[in-house]
Amino acid sequence: MQHSNSTVIGTAGGTFLSVLPNLHSEDVLKTVILASVGAVVSFSISLALKFFIKKHKK
């Protein structure tokens, strides 16, 4: 089944425009903060695991 670019762009644009009125600035801010905390925690755990694995192999 072939999809033309205009159909995909129209569907994505329509979805975005239907969600846009329901977004509140508090929700966006909360999402940005939670994503930042998640990235920092993920990075920290990755470094800790890398350190422990390297130490365990010696």
Side-chain angles (χ1 to χ4, degrees):
M1 185 171 164
Q2 295 281 40
H3 296 292
S4 66
N5 281 343
S6 62
T7 303
V8 173
I9 292 171
T11 302
T15 302
F16 175 73
L17 290 176
S18 67
V19 170
L20 190 60
N22 296 320
L23 291 178
H24 303 289
S25 60
E26 301 89 25
D27 294 336
V28 174
L29 181 63
K30 184 171 39 171
T31 301
V32 168
I33 291 170
L34 288 174
S36 301
V37 169
V40 169
V41 169
S42 177
F43 182 71
S44 300
I45 296 296
S46 296
L47 285 180
L49 288 173
K50 186 177 179 180
F51 172 76
F52 288 126
I53 290 172
K54 187 177 178 183
K55 187 175 179 180
H56 181 62
K57 283 187 177 181
K58 286 186 177 182

